[in-house]
Amino acid sequence: GNSVTQMEGPVTLSEEAFLTINCTYTATGYPSLFWYVQYPGEGLQLLLKATKADDKGSNKGFEATYRKETTSFHLEKGSVQVSDSAVYFCALRRILTGNQFYFGTGTSLTVIP
Amino acid sequence: GAVVSQHPSRVICKSGTSVKIECRSLDFQATTMFWYRQFPKQSLMLMATSNEGSKATYEQGVEKDKFLINHASLTLSTLTVTSAHPEDSSFYICSAVPGGSAVNTQYFGPGTRLTVL
């Protein structure tokens, strides 16, 4: 089947620290991979995506590389800011299943000054 | 940017009553809207796909007679939880896809917390 596993939180970091949130997936075929972010009181927003192996998605200083060999799509940022405090969701979508998105459980990140 | 609202944000109801949740796209027309459900510390699970002017498509295991979806206009979809029971307590999230956009371009609402006593 299709599923996404991401590291459990909560994660607390000091400002300017390096961030990694692990995400691995199980899927048949070639899914598209996504990271969504949910700021307090708001809906999920697309942060970045990658549609094929070795693609790197990037946005707002965040990066994630689609690794087919390790079935991973880890989220990284070199220097986090207080404004990055949010919940991050990893997700996959298999084109052949139409609209089905599979989400991870979310990882809460708190950045302290 | 595109904004999707949900109303109410929180609702508490008695067992056996029905609850309606609205999902609105505020600054764009959405031909497709999705309804998700999220249990504590679990992932979002797609419940159904709602297309304007047609019947919703439900995911396997989701009771269509219990979770009624109406997508009556290009900016509004409603989810009605009929005869709610405590096990229906959850966080319900909708998303909307602007007309002509790929499904990847979905905008999420902030969610509705339903508590059934």
Side-chain angles (χ1 to χ4, degrees), chain A residues 32 34 36 38 41-46 49 51 89 93 99-101 103-105, chain B residues 32 34 36 38 41-44 46 49 59 91 93 103-104 106-110:
Chain A
S32 295
F34 306 82
Y36 282 86
Q38 185 175 30
E42 299 182 18
L44 277 74
Q45 303 172 26
L46 179 63
K49 67 180 181 182
T51 58
F89 292 88
R93 175 176 174 242
N99 301 325
Q100 182 75 51
F101 275 80
F103 285 85
T105 55
Chain B
T32 301
F34 300 100
Y36 295 85
Q38 184 181 27
K41 299 186 179 181
Q42 295 187 26
S43 23
L44 279 72
L46 180 66
T49 303
E59 296 300 309
F91 194 57
I93 302 172
V103 171
N104 290 345
Q106 58 180 319
Y107 298 94
F108 286 82

Side-chain angles (χ1 to χ4, degrees), chain A residues 43-106:
Chain A
L44 277 74
Q45 303 172 26
L46 179 63
L47 180 61
L48 53 84
K49 67 180 181 182
T51 58
K52 61 182 187 296
D54 300 326
D55 267 3
K56 176 186 285 188
S58 61
N59 185 25
K60 300 181 180 180
F62 291 89
E63 292 183 341
T65 301
Y66 189 141
R67 302 284 190 199
K68 190 173 187 298
E69 64 276 14
T70 55
T71 62
S72 65
F73 193 55
H74 304 321
L75 182 69
E76 297 182 336
K77 186 173 185 181
S79 176
V80 293
Q81 306 300 313
V82 172
S83 57
D84 294 327
S85 298
V87 180
Y88 293 82
F89 292 88
C90 185
L92 71 82
R93 175 176 174 242
R94 280 198 65 223
I95 305 301
L96 292 179
T97 61
N99 301 325
Q100 182 75 51
F101 275 80
Y102 299 85
F103 285 85
T105 55

Side-chain angles (χ1 to χ4, degrees), chain B residues 67-85:
Chain B
F67 299 99
L68 301 178
I69 292 173
N70 186 330
H71 193 157
S73 78
L74 287 171
T75 59
L76 173 64
S77 177
T78 59
L79 168 68
T80 301
V81 183
T82 62
S83 187
H85 288 92

